[in-house]
Amino acid sequence: MKEVPIIDVATAAQMVKDGDTILQGGFGMTGNPVHLMHALAETGTKNLTFIGNNVGEVGIGGGRLLRNGQIKKMIGSFFTSNPDAVKAAQSGVVAYELLPQGTLAEAIRAGGAGIGGFYTPTSAGTLIAQGRETKIIDGAEQVFIKGIRGNVAFIRAWRADTAGNLQYRMTEQNFNKAMATAADLVIAEVEEIVPVGEIAPEHVHTPGCFVNYLVQATLTLEDLGSSASVSSSKKVDESRMNMAKRALAELKKGDVVNLGIGIPTLVADLITEEHGIILHTENGMLGVGPVPTDGGGAMNYPVNAGKIPVTALKGSSYFDSADSFAMIRGRHIDAAIMGGLEVDEAANLANWAVPGKPLLGVGGAMDLAKGAKRLIITMTHTNPDGSSKIVPACTLPLTASGVVDLVITDLAVFAFPENKLTLIELMPGATLEEVKARTSASFVEQIA
């Protein structure tokens, strides 16, 4: 049986050379090889191309490389969570390429599988697709994405045996599993190394043939950043809760549902076991339960796409980000409930970017908007300046075209029967006159 060398973090960091492309696993700081990244930050290695969902947090993980000026380009899905990444991009100090989260995961999986690239409907017709090859496949525009490989991959697993077989814990698979296949040199940071045979074959998530070196490093609360703990206190105004309740009424028993950040997260607080709804989170979990009541964090619990620790309900399952987005694009998600910045008369959605601000945080929105069987948008009816969010045509950068099925605001509920924006319901306390006055789009009235 193969025996994988066990080295220390300093030795591992020296294997990264100037100008290398480095893949870093993790979703936020969950499953993040933080000790390897910190060791790399102690070296003089520079001009790195960093590929990962996000560049750690401020001063943690990849955030230290940013602070040191070691990164020349970052490729990922959600850089907004690290203000240092935003500043670096705004100033032009670091080049960047933004990819939808599912596209990033699939590109890494393709690179690891020896596939040159693939076509995806995600991001078609958006700013992210500009400059990329497109093709009409089965009547739908699809965007070509090249497979991604790196020189070195730093990944994090919970256990390894001496043959390099890896086992991940809870939602810590995320990008790690695909990245383990997609680099010339793979170094796995693990909590525990056990003799070969102690990890049952059916519990091996990454076979040892993909792993070149092992590093043992113990995780601490400080390594988990913002996911280290969770506060149970939450104040919610009545109008937001009314929107969440109305969205819940659209779901039926057995539905697999993905909830976006903001108002949609409130739906999770309303779901009971009797509802029989299965919550999906794009970083790799089905069967998401409520936040822990003991204040515990990602050391003891999985995390959701908002990087918030959650509990696992009976029958839950974990998987990696590539499989998670295969569920989404493959239309295995019955409904997605997302926030919005604009929805227009043609059922187009804009919810990820505002002109004049850095376009650094698309996450999984584009994949979900295209892939969910039903898309429900919850948002306030107007902006803080009183301007309407339900508009004749979106002026903000599009997330996806013609995808919205239902819009729930604090004033009204709109649907799109026969592809026409239609007012079907008033929310508590709202009047028809108020809705007309605050909506710039033209709509049909079908109020029961």
Side-chain angles (χ1 to χ4, degrees), residues 363-378:
M366 289 184 179
D367 302 276
L368 283 160
K370 279 286 189 182
K373 293 178 184 176
R374 193 157 186 252
L375 181 61
I376 300 169
I377 302 301
T378 58

Side-chain angles (χ1 to χ4, degrees), residues 79-297:
F79 301 131
T80 309
S81 56
N82 186 341
D84 285 348
V86 175
K87 291 177 184 176
Q90 283 180 314
S91 65
V93 170
V94 176
Y96 68 93
E97 180 180 350
L98 191 64
L99 291 171
Q101 196 173 109
T103 298
L104 175 65
E106 194 65 24
I108 295 166
R109 178 156 69 176
I115 296 171
F118 58 94
Y119 286 93
T120 173
T122 301
S123 80
T126 74
L127 290 175
I128 286 182
Q130 289 184 357
R132 298 187 184 274
E133 178 189 344
T134 61
K135 183 179 288 188
I136 302 299
I137 301 175
D138 294 333
E141 184 180 11
Q142 302 211 20
V143 181
F144 181 76
I145 302 294
K146 188 176 181 294
I148 289 175
R149 285 190 62 87
N151 300 108
V152 181
F154 281 174
I155 64 172
R156 170 86 191 182
W158 193 245
R159 298 176 83 207
D161 65 22
T162 51
N165 296 310
L166 304 181
Q167 180 180 12
Y168 303 101
R169 187 185 67 140
M170 299 184 295
T171 47
E172 293 176 359
Q173 290 188 47
N174 49 65
F175 283 85
N176 284 300
K177 188 176 175 182
M179 287 181 173
T181 72
D184 302 328
L185 182 70
V186 176
I187 304 174
E189 172 187 313
V190 299
E191 187 76 12
E192 179 185 19
I193 301 173
V194 299
V196 66
E198 284 202 16
I199 302 176
E202 62 268 27
H203 294 155
V204 172
H205 298 122
T206 292
C209 65
F210 294 111
V211 179
N212 299 105
Y213 295 94
L214 295 174
V215 168
Q216 190 279 324
T218 301
L219 200 65
T220 68
L221 285 175
E222 289 74 21
D223 299 327
L224 295 172
S226 61
S227 295
S229 62
V230 61
S231 172
S232 59
S233 61
K234 186 192 300 183
K235 293 183 179 180
V236 182
D237 64 61
E238 186 178 3
S239 66
R240 289 168 66 89
M241 189 54 72
N242 283 340
M243 285 185 269
K245 290 176 180 177
R246 182 61 184 82
L248 177 60
E250 291 294 316
L251 308 179
K252 61 182 185 297
K253 191 169 185 177
D255 275 353
V256 177
V257 179
N258 184 287
L259 302 177
I261 60 174
I263 295 169
T265 60
L266 301 178
V267 178
D269 298 333
L270 301 173
I271 294 174
T272 66
E273 189 173 340
E274 288 69 30
H275 285 105
I277 293 165
I278 305 161
L279 293 183
H280 169 273
T281 182
E282 55 262 38
N283 56 306
M285 182 180 180
L286 274 174
V288 179
V291 298
T293 56
D294 60 6

Side-chain angles (χ1 to χ4, degrees), residues 329-340:
R329 286 189 307 274
R331 299 189 69 78
H332 304 289
I333 306 300
D334 295 299
I337 305 175
M338 302 170 63

